[in-house]
Amino acid sequence: MEVGKVKRVAGPLVQAIGLKASMYDLVLVGEEGLMSEVIGISGNKHIIQVYEDTGGVRPGEPVKETGAPLVAQLGPGILTQIYDGIQRPLPKLAEMSGDFISRGLFVDGIDHKKKWEFKPTAKKGDALKPGQAFGEVQEQLLINHKIMVPPKMKGGAIKEIYGGNFTVDETVCVLEDGTELTMMHKWPVRQARPVAEKLAPTIPLRTGQRVVDGFFSLAKGGTAAIPGGFGTGKTVMQQTLSKWADVDIVIYVGCGERGNEMADLLHEFPELQDPRTGRPLMERSIVYANTSNMPVAAREASIYTGMTTAEYYRDMGYDCLMTADSTSRWAEAMREMGSRLEEMPGEEGYPAYLGARLADFYERAGRAAVLNGGQGSVSIVGAVSPAGGDFTEPVTQNTLRMVKVFWALDSKLTQRRHFPSINWLDSYSLYDQTLEPWFVENVSPNWNKNKRRAMAILQENAELEEIVMLVGSDALPEDQQITLEVARMIINFWLAQSAFHPVDTFAPYKKQFDLLEAILKYRDLAFDAVQKGIPVAQITSVPSKDALAKVRLEAEYEPILAKVMAQMEAEFKALK
Amino acid sequence: MTKEYKTITEISGPLIFVEKTEPVGYNELVEIRTGGELKRGQVLDTSDEIVVIQVFEGTGGLSKDSAVSFTGDVIKMPLSPGIVGRVLSGSGRPRDGGPEIVPEVLRDIAGAAINPASREKPRAFIQTGISTIDGTNTLVRGQKLPIFSGAGLPHNDVALQIARQAKALGEAESFAVIFCAMGITNEEAQHFLADFERTGALERAVVFLNLADDPAVERILTPRLGLTTAEYLAFDLDMHVLIIYTDMTNYCESLRQMGAAREEVPGRRGYPGYMYTDLAIQYERAGIIRGKKGSITQFPILTMPGDDITHPIPDLSGYITEGQIIISRELHRKGIYPPVDIRPSLSRLMNSGIGKGHTREDHRAVSDQLYAYYAEGNDLRGLAAIVGKEALSERDKLVLEFADKFEKRFVNQGRDEDRSIFDTLQIGWDLLADLPEAMLTRVDDKYIKQYHPKYASAAKKAE
């Protein structure tokens, strides 16, 4: 390996001479061996971004090559970990350097000393293809970690395979051609892992959030963006999704986010129960925490590192959800590096390749037939933090070109403490049609019909509200006054959902459907009553309407809802 | 003795360019001597050929003959317990006529990032005695909660009231206030100092003063010095530190000035592309570390140019801080103090600091309900202005009245009025009691039964 020399240092960018490294190769800069990556080669100079603070580094210090790009270590022991952007376990860093992160620390992504019980699932003589599993490890109580032939390896017939306790470095399988396989392999993070075939998104990803599942649903393997100005609830929304989404593995990438927020998440995840299994949520989670004050180059890498681990679990046949909070900080990291490289900027100072990078990232999502046989998926939910809450800025616009679901967070709703503050008029999901057959089969044939009815009411409501702003609601015809009231019910009783209420935080599909159906029932009864000439004030003050507001807070809601609806019918009958 | 160079090739604004040096480290502290005066600077860019240095005390008086020496070390702050009670300049030199700080420790002012895995979740409620903060935008220890204000608004009074009244419920402990002034006028600085003296706060404060006529580049140093001091007091001496810095807008202006001097490609509105990261490095130095007793709570104050919250400074700050308190010109004009507009204000950590065991179990529900009707009432004001109050429905009239009463009774309070959280919640309930019970959709029935004045007074009678 060549050893070069530092020529110039300016912030996180270093220029070095005397290297032979290729683009994106990992190099170690200075006496302390700071982890860095080659991001440009010009003449005899290598341009290097350093993942750590460069204070004190001087010209003339050595730069060592490693001969490989930035890779993720993939094998048992990734789950429950808390990493920084370049897959260094943060608790390990704390052990080595105390509460503040110091420089030049090198730590393996997974524990190389721990022994795992390897159970072969293939036997001597079996022919292995690339990506095919030949054994498994019980990584967590409910997660069975499949040990696969690295996708880039040729494969071949098994000569020897051993069961028992091994570390990830020990050989567990030998192929006829002499290739030794261990439980771990490395994968360059900037490269997508191959699959057999990408599949259509026909299965919904259940989140338990009425406005998401009911109105703007995400498919497994789908992509969604949550843009919103600061304080509109992006982070709460992402954390709620991580908690409740019906996936096997959650990868949470805190990319340039707040330290206290990460502390909250790291504190909460181990305590939270997976609603489906009763096990701690942390057992199926991987957290990447590269807070805003940690080095900007590692922030840029964190998205790729996170994605690579997501793909790895997908290859085992699991459904994975990757949440990136926030992709704007990632884009800003690119901008910062670009401006230090003195690249010609594109829109608003972002590099011209911003769109291409975003596209590459979102394209790594999807439901797929994996090389091992079977199916897996990676869904992405990317938060976008548009500057000044302006959705026309480049990161939001480039993201919208790629994603299929758009949850527009609205600061007006936040101010009214309406959560989740997803604007029901601006948001959309392009999975509406592809998912309908699933809902018809599994919940109700009326799923999409009710959705469309409710949306039409909200649309009409928006138009009526403009008139109301001018003339007041009493001046409207009676049926339109009812529409206003029903819209208010949909908004307050159904779309609003408290992430902090123990019951309301999660609504199963059936409950979502029943509640909306009940509100629409009220609408029908109310319209009938108006036809009969009953005054609006009487219709809107039936007590059962207020009772309906609280049904969502009940776990065993069905008998209560039935009672409320019976009461409602009786009250409407009694109206004169 | 370190080598001195007289090889300055260029002086441009706050920057000097030096050539033919031995290898110099990035970010190194530099000393420049000219005619008996000592100035300090920092290396911004280093290579074999040329070294770029930013000079903190300004380049006035420097010439090609000035002697430059490199200390071989990054900038460090001298610290000892004796620093409490001192008034220092924006670059950390005594400003109160006292002696230099005799260091017990020297700390790198760049400040390493706290390992997220070592952080403790902030959840200790801090009572500021201000209803709009305690009741609806609760502050917790270890939080960074900026005040977004505008020119001519009483943000300084609000900050002072917080510094004066802030306390944890039911326990006495050692705490300190660090005050960093960046580019504020002498008059404003006097106002702060006078108030600190009046209330005796100066004895437990460290003050860093960079006034409007001090060098702008020095401002880049000021928050770093303040925060390094804060970390020392909090994590070495177990103190709870409240750090107020004003005005972050001036700090960002200095960043822009430096960026322009270095001929960098500018980002939005001429501010450097790395401003987010730079601000984050300051703001993120708030928090609590697991196993340590102390904490750092930050109150940055920034004036929004043209009251524009989408301006890059408030915008980027808002993305880093844990919420914001917005001072409203409209409320100020109505004569309401503190003129906090709760609608765009937010405390992101509120939830972990309220409820049972912290404040009271109905806190969240009361706060949400107040928010909802105040926001709706505000919207209705526009409508009432067009169609007249009489044309509103009965319900709308109630909500409109609620918004007015909310401003007069909940938001408005005296400059020395220190309300307990229970007083604040009581005012909230009194206001909600004027609305029909069926309208309290955000409040669980059991809280209504327990705290609604109607039932609470009935319960008292029964006793």
Side-chain angles (χ1 to χ4, degrees):
Chain A
M1 292 293 154
E2 301 288 324
V3 177
K5 256 194 193 160
V6 173
K7 178 94 180 125
R8 179 179 171 195
V9 189
L13 269 196
V14 166
Q15 289 183 5
I17 48 169
L19 291 174
K20 290 216 171 101
S22 323
M23 276 292 274
Y24 298 123
D25 269 8
L26 207 64
V27 293
L28 304 172
V29 168
E31 310 286 355
E32 291 172 278
L34 308 179
M35 277 190 46
S36 324
E37 189 176 27
V38 176
I39 55 167
I41 299 171
S42 129
N44 61 346
K45 273 184 295 200
H46 276 68
I47 297 158
I48 295 165
Q49 64 172 352
V50 185
Y51 293 130
E52 304 181 65
D53 180 45
T54 50
V57 176
R58 325 163 169 235
E61 288 193 35
V63 180
K64 293 189 202 86
E65 292 189 354
T66 65
L70 178 65
V71 291
Q73 298 191 345
L74 302 171
I78 299 179
L79 288 177
T80 74
Q81 284 291 2
I82 301 152
Y83 291 120
D84 74 351
I86 46 178
Q87 214 204 5
R88 296 187 301 181
L90 288 169
K92 275 266 161 57
L93 291 182
E95 272 171 36
M96 293 167 75
S97 76
D99 299 323
F100 294 87
I101 299 176
S102 54
R103 306 186 304 179
L105 303 173
F106 187 83
V107 196
D108 281 312
I110 53 179
D111 191 339
H112 285 235
K113 293 205 186 82
K114 181 166 178 171
K115 293 212 177 218
W116 296 92
E117 193 192 347
F118 174 76
K119 287 189 205 131
T121 53
K123 56 182 190 305
K124 198 173 161 174
D126 286 358
L128 292 179
K129 287 186 305 226
Q132 193 178 342
F134 55 91
E136 56 188 33
V137 165
Q138 202 64 41
E139 187 178 0
Q140 293 294 334
L141 191 66
L142 297 166
I143 303 289
N144 191 341
H145 191 114
K146 295 201 168 55
I147 308 296
M148 301 167 289
V149 179
K152 272 187 183 164
M153 212 171 259
K154 196 162 88 244
I158 299 177
K159 190 172 158 202
E160 305 280 355
I161 188 160
Y162 324 101
N165 291 314
F166 298 98
T167 67
V168 292
D169 290 326
E170 288 170 325
T171 304
V172 292
C173 179
V174 184
L175 302 183
E176 284 294 349
D177 63 358
T179 311
E180 296 186 351
L181 297 174
T182 63
M183 287 191 275
M184 185 196 90
H185 68 272
K186 294 178 180 172
W187 189 266
V189 297
R190 291 179 195 276
Q191 213 173 85
R193 288 172 64 88
V195 294
E197 189 195 357
K198 287 227 169 185
L199 303 172
T202 51
I203 305 168
L205 188 133
R206 192 194 58 208
T207 66
Q209 309 305 303
R210 289 184 288 264
V211 60
V212 172
D213 291 350
F215 270 13
F216 313 109
S217 49
L218 178 60
K220 281 191 176 153
T223 51
I226 319 183
F230 60 81
T232 46
K234 279 187 303 296
T235 304
V236 174
M237 187 68 203
Q238 291 223 335
Q239 295 186 0
T240 310
L241 291 178
S242 310
K243 268 181 231 171
W244 296 110
D246 65 333
V247 292
D248 303 303
I249 310 282
V250 173
I251 294 99
Y252 188 95
V253 181
C255 170
E257 275 301 309
R258 302 174 179 86
N260 279 335
E261 233 157 49
M262 292 314 301
D264 185 22
L265 184 112
L266 298 179
H267 186 267
E268 198 167 309
F269 262 37
E271 283 180 7
L272 275 176
Q273 269 190 4
D274 182 339
R276 290 180 303 164
T277 60
R279 301 290 306 171
L281 196 59
M282 201 64 203
E283 287 185 359
R284 59 178 181 96
S285 309
I286 307 161
V287 177
Y288 289 87
N290 209 88
T291 54
S292 53
N293 57 338
M294 285 158 75
V296 66
R299 189 199 304 165
E300 197 263 341
S302 64
I303 290 278
Y304 297 107
T305 322
M307 191 67 210
T308 304
T309 38
E311 286 176 338
Y312 177 59
Y313 281 92
R314 172 204 66 197
D315 289 348
M316 297 178 204
Y318 290 117
D319 289 321
C320 305
L321 172 68
M322 165 156 170
T323 58
D325 189 10
S326 126
T327 57
S328 295
R329 303 291 155 243
W330 175 54
E332 269 164 23
M334 276 189 250
R335 172 163 75 179
E336 213 174 306
M337 300 311 296
S339 110
R340 290 198 198 260
L341 280 171
E342 294 173 2
E343 288 170 343
M344 185 67 84
E347 222 180 325
E348 291 196 17
Y350 285 102
Y353 46 78
L354 172 72
R357 289 277 175 92
L358 280 165
D360 281 348
F361 166 61
Y362 281 107
E363 265 309 281
R364 285 175 79 169
R367 196 163 73 90
V370 295
L371 294 175
N372 183 37
Q375 294 174 4
S377 67
V378 176
S379 314
I380 301 180
V381 176
V384 184
S385 324
D390 170 16
F391 288 178
T392 63
E393 59 91 41
V395 182
T396 314
Q397 283 307 311
N398 278 302
T399 304
L400 288 184
R401 293 216 312 266
M402 297 310 305
V403 301
K404 298 288 185 293
V405 178
F406 172 57
W407 296 318
L409 295 179
D410 187 340
S411 58
K412 283 243 171 63
L413 292 174
T414 323
Q415 289 178 14
R416 293 180 183 197
R417 288 297 181 267
H418 175 103
F419 292 112
S421 51
I422 294 177
N423 183 309
W424 45 88
L425 298 174
D426 294 344
S427 305
Y428 59 79
S429 164
L430 300 181
Y431 297 119
D432 246 10
Q433 298 307 316
T434 45
L435 295 178
E436 186 172 4
W438 190 94
F439 282 114
V440 167
E441 193 180 317
N442 293 286
V443 189
S444 162
N446 288 334
W447 180 272
N448 266 22
K449 192 181 127 216
N450 279 4
K451 179 196 315 194
R452 279 191 289 267
R453 272 189 78 189
M455 281 183 156
I457 292 169
L458 292 173
Q459 183 60 47
E460 194 184 343
N461 175 61
E463 287 159 20
L464 291 177
E465 266 182 350
E466 280 172 26
I467 303 172
V468 171
M469 285 307 282
L470 295 174
V471 299
S473 61
D474 286 351
L476 289 180
E478 296 195 319
D479 56 340
Q480 292 186 346
Q481 290 185 40
I482 295 292
T483 301
L484 284 180
E485 186 65 24
V486 174
R488 194 179 287 167
M489 287 167 73
I490 296 175
I491 294 165
N492 292 331
F493 304 174
W494 198 74
L495 291 172
Q497 190 167 355
S498 167
F500 303 112
H501 190 283
V503 174
D504 198 31
T505 179
F506 180 84
Y509 283 141
K510 182 77 168 56
K511 185 173 175 185
Q512 298 185 17
F513 179 80
D514 288 347
L515 283 176
L516 188 58
E517 179 103 335
I519 295 169
L520 294 173
K521 176 80 185 166
Y522 170 86
R523 183 215 168 258
D524 293 341
L525 289 170
F527 265 73
D528 284 348
V530 167
Q531 298 287 319
K532 284 186 202 142
I534 295 164
V536 172
Q538 278 192 40
I539 298 172
T540 56
S541 58
V542 293
S544 54
K545 198 195 85 190
D546 296 321
L548 186 57
K550 311 225 160 163
V551 175
R552 67 201 166 98
L553 305 178
E554 304 289 342
E556 300 297 327
Y557 73 97
E558 276 169 319
I560 298 167
L561 182 64
K563 217 174 93 195
V564 170
M565 294 318 286
Q567 185 194 342
M568 187 181 286
E569 298 223 18
E571 281 166 2
F572 269 99
K573 246 179 216 155
L575 287 182
K576 283 200 182 94
Chain B
M1 190 64 204
T2 47
K3 244 186 198 170
E4 283 196 343
Y5 295 93
K6 293 201 170 181
T7 50
I8 296 180
T9 55
E10 190 184 335
I11 302 178
S12 156
L15 301 183
I16 57 175
F17 296 74
V18 182
E19 60 173 21
K20 293 188 200 125
T21 61
E22 293 191 335
V24 172
Y26 175 72
N27 257 353
E28 238 182 76
L29 174 66
V30 184
E31 291 179 345
I32 305 129
R33 259 170 255 275
T34 186
E37 198 188 347
L38 176 74
K39 291 177 187 268
R40 291 182 301 169
Q42 188 177 20
V43 176
L44 288 184
D45 192 335
T46 171
S47 67
D48 298 350
E49 294 105 33
I50 204 141
V51 176
V52 185
I53 299 159
Q54 64 175 351
V55 183
F56 294 121
E57 284 99 348
T59 46
L62 292 189
S63 72
K64 285 192 163 186
D65 294 330
S66 305
V68 179
S69 59
F70 298 96
T71 59
D73 206 351
V74 292
I75 301 178
K76 291 194 167 157
M77 169 95 190
L79 292 162
S80 75
I83 198 168
V84 178
R86 298 296 303 269
V87 180
L88 306 170
S89 77
S91 57
R93 290 174 172 176
R95 206 180 169 122
D96 51 4
E100 293 273 347
I101 309 290
V102 182
E104 265 185 23
V105 288
L106 286 166
R107 288 279 156 83
D108 182 353
I109 64 157
I114 300 178
N115 189 326
S118 296
R119 279 184 186 267
E120 183 63 71
K121 176 181 171 176
R123 51 183 153 184
F125 168 68
I126 297 182
Q127 180 176 296
T128 65
I130 295 175
S131 292
T132 38
I133 296 177
D134 294 349
T136 46
N137 293 289
T138 316
L139 175 69
V140 300
R141 196 171 269 161
Q143 185 172 13
K144 39 193 179 293
L145 189 62
I147 298 178
F148 288 6
S149 184
L153 295 177
H155 43 265
N156 289 342
D157 290 348
V158 179
L160 277 171
Q161 190 170 0
I162 292 164
R164 214 163 45 226
Q165 298 181 168
K167 56 182 153 301
L169 282 188
E171 39 178 322
E173 59 227 328
S174 65
F175 72 108
V177 175
I178 293 179
F179 177 70
C180 292
M182 291 168 285
I184 64 171
T185 60
N186 188 43
E187 204 181 310
E188 283 174 297
Q190 292 305 330
H191 181 56
F192 273 99
L193 287 178
D195 197 88
F196 284 154
E197 264 169 43
R198 175 173 76 90
T199 56
L202 199 56
E203 286 165 31
R204 47 182 178 78
V206 188
V207 178
F208 292 87
L209 287 182
N210 165 285
L211 300 184
D213 56 351
D214 289 332
V217 191
E218 190 183 273
R219 265 159 231 167
I220 295 183
L221 223 48
T222 311
R224 290 175 166 80
L225 297 173
L227 287 161
T228 307
T229 309
E231 281 169 2
Y232 171 71
L233 297 180
F235 304 131
D236 287 35
L237 304 184
D238 293 340
M239 297 172 106
H240 292 291
V241 182
L242 182 69
I243 173 162
I244 300 173
Y245 26 91
T246 180
D247 176 336
M248 277 314 266
T249 306
N250 295 333
Y251 173 80
C252 294
E253 297 289 329
S254 290
L255 277 186
R256 176 161 72 174
Q257 196 183 332
M258 289 307 303
R262 292 159 71 176
E263 298 179 4
E264 292 167 344
V265 180
R268 262 203 305 158
R269 297 212 197 176
Y271 291 97
Y274 49 80
M275 193 159 86
Y276 176 81
T277 306
D278 190 282
L279 286 173
I281 286 171
Q282 321 307 325
Y283 292 141
E284 277 295 332
R285 290 172 85 174
I288 310 175
I289 291 177
R290 196 174 304 142
K292 300 232 163 135
K293 281 199 193 118
S295 64
I296 301 176
T297 309
Q298 290 189 13
F299 254 109
I301 300 173
L302 58 91
T303 47
M304 299 181 279
D307 289 354
D308 176 10
I309 197 169
T310 67
H311 184 281
I313 301 172
D315 191 48
L316 294 180
S317 294
Y319 277 121
I320 308 162
T321 55
E322 282 127 359
Q324 64 277 335
I325 303 289
I326 307 256
I327 306 286
S328 145
R329 200 169 291 278
E330 196 191 328
L331 286 174
H332 181 58
R333 283 201 193 112
K334 281 188 189 168
I336 287 166
Y337 174 89
V340 174
D341 188 351
I342 66 159
R343 291 171 302 154
S345 299
L346 171 76
S347 163
R348 291 167 180 273
L349 301 183
M350 172 170 183
N351 235 9
S352 53
I354 62 169
K356 214 170 176 179
H358 299 283
T359 55
R360 211 167 73 185
E361 67 268 27
D362 57 328
H363 193 155
R364 162 59 57 192
V366 171
S367 167
D368 281 355
Q369 193 69 73
L370 291 171
Y371 252 105
Y373 284 122
Y374 180 57
E376 195 180 335
N378 250 296
D379 292 346
L380 286 169
R381 282 182 182 158
L383 176 59
I386 298 170
V387 298
K389 252 186 198 171
E390 292 67 33
L392 296 180
S393 70
E394 280 309 311
R395 180 185 179 282
D396 288 355
K397 270 185 213 156
L398 280 173
V399 175
L400 187 65
E401 276 167 27
F402 172 86
D404 291 339
K405 282 188 283 191
F406 180 81
E407 285 173 4
K408 282 198 195 90
R409 288 174 54 196
F410 191 89
V411 181
N412 196 29
Q413 67 184 85
R415 278 175 164 74
D416 282 312
E417 186 180 350
D418 189 357
R419 287 183 190 159
S420 81
I421 178 63
F422 305 108
D423 293 344
T424 293
L425 289 175
Q426 189 56 47
I427 297 171
W429 271 113
D430 289 346
L431 291 168
L432 291 177
D434 292 345
L435 300 171
E437 218 178 295
M439 276 174 72
L440 306 184
T441 50
R442 312 250 172 159
V443 189
D444 252 5
D445 276 341
K446 61 175 184 221
Y447 299 145
I448 294 184
K449 292 274 173 326
Q450 194 174 349
Y451 295 109
H452 194 292
K454 190 170 91 186
Y455 298 103
S457 59
K460 255 192 202 138
K461 258 180 217 160
E463 275 171 25

